[in-house]
Amino acid sequence: MGNIVANLFITLDGVYQAPGGREEDTETGFAFGGWQLPVSDDQAEAAIEAEIRRIDALLLGRKTYDIFAAYWPHQSGDIGNTLNRVPKFVVSGTLSAPDWQGTTVLPDASAAGRLREEYNEVHMFGSGVLIRSLLQADVLDRLHLWLYPLTLGQGKRLFDSGTIPATFRLAEPARSFPKGAVSLVYERAGDVRTQDMPGI
């Protein structure tokens, strides 16, 4: 049985919108596109590239798929070759004829669960809305947060409306990088429990 792993580049205040470029996603007037690279470093970038080389299949939400499909088919190198080679899956209720070679459309987040029966490492990048849907459907095995040391005060946030109550456990040791980014890999650990602190 394989794993579905969501990789998300995220700020300290939970923003995942447009880490890679100024024009990547300007929805709602977002003014900080391209925030990731200035707070990244060679070690963090090498770790991300190693993560990408592990994947057997790529799973994306529609908006991230459109961004990737417009860029990566025209790229080579380790990352481009990997993303163009592996099977790709996009969850969408409106896309019928995907342009990126090797793409299959899935109707909803629940349908993505079957990918674990066919592939060892199904990885996502971005796709915050889909991450919440996968958590809701209980088909996300690991949440890999690449946490960067900055706050933006605006933009799309992962844990926004629609977030389900859940607890998580650290699945791998945390890794830190020279400019302050941290890699955190979590697995679901069950429901939220409550308990009073002593003396309260």
Side-chain angles (χ1 to χ4, degrees):
M1 197 72 165
N3 289 307
I4 296 176
V5 182
N7 291 273
L8 195 68
F9 309 127
I10 193 166
T11 68
L12 292 177
D13 57 341
V15 175
Y16 67 87
Q17 187 171 353
R22 292 184 178 95
E23 303 302 319
E24 181 180 342
D25 179 2
T26 59
E27 194 172 317
T28 67
F30 186 63
F32 296 106
W35 54 262
Q36 181 184 10
L37 193 57
V39 288
S40 190
D41 52 66
D42 290 345
Q43 290 183 31
E45 295 303 308
I48 293 166
E49 289 178 14
E51 189 80 2
I52 292 171
R53 285 194 295 271
R54 292 174 50 190
I55 72 176
D56 298 314
L58 181 65
L59 174 64
L60 299 169
R62 174 63 189 275
K63 190 168 190 66
T64 305
Y65 175 81
D66 287 344
I67 293 168
F68 275 41
Y71 179 77
W72 286 110
H74 314 290
Q75 307 303 313
S76 57
D78 286 348
I79 295 176
N81 290 338
T82 298
L83 297 182
N84 286 310
R85 173 181 51 80
V86 299
K88 289 159 279 289
F89 298 88
V90 55
V91 176
S92 174
T94 58
L95 182 64
S96 58
D99 294 330
W100 198 359
Q101 186 176 1
T103 298
T104 301
V105 179
L106 301 176
D108 53 41
S110 296
R114 71 170 174 81
L115 299 178
R116 294 177 293 189
E117 300 171 9
E118 302 174 37
Y119 305 99
N120 288 326
E121 293 282 340
V122 181
H123 282 241
M124 301 171 55
F125 294 87
S127 307
V129 173
L130 179 57
I131 290 174
R132 290 196 295 271
S133 297
L134 292 170
L135 287 169
Q136 184 75 47
D138 199 20
V139 294
L140 183 65
D141 299 295
R142 289 192 167 190
L143 179 59
H144 190 169
L145 299 178
W146 301 83
L147 183 67
Y148 288 84
L150 76 164
T151 57
L152 299 178
Q154 63 171 266
K156 298 173 184 176
R157 288 175 167 81
L158 174 59
F159 297 118
D160 208 334
S161 59
T163 299
I164 63 167
T167 59
F168 297 82
R169 61 174 161 263
L170 203 59
E172 297 178 3
R175 292 179 290 167
S176 61
F177 302 100
K179 283 193 176 180
V182 181
S183 165
L184 300 164
V185 182
Y186 290 102
E187 293 177 342
R188 285 279 290 275
D191 296 329
V192 174
R193 298 189 306 162
T194 62
Q195 181 177 347
D196 290 329
M197 294 290 290
I200 296 178

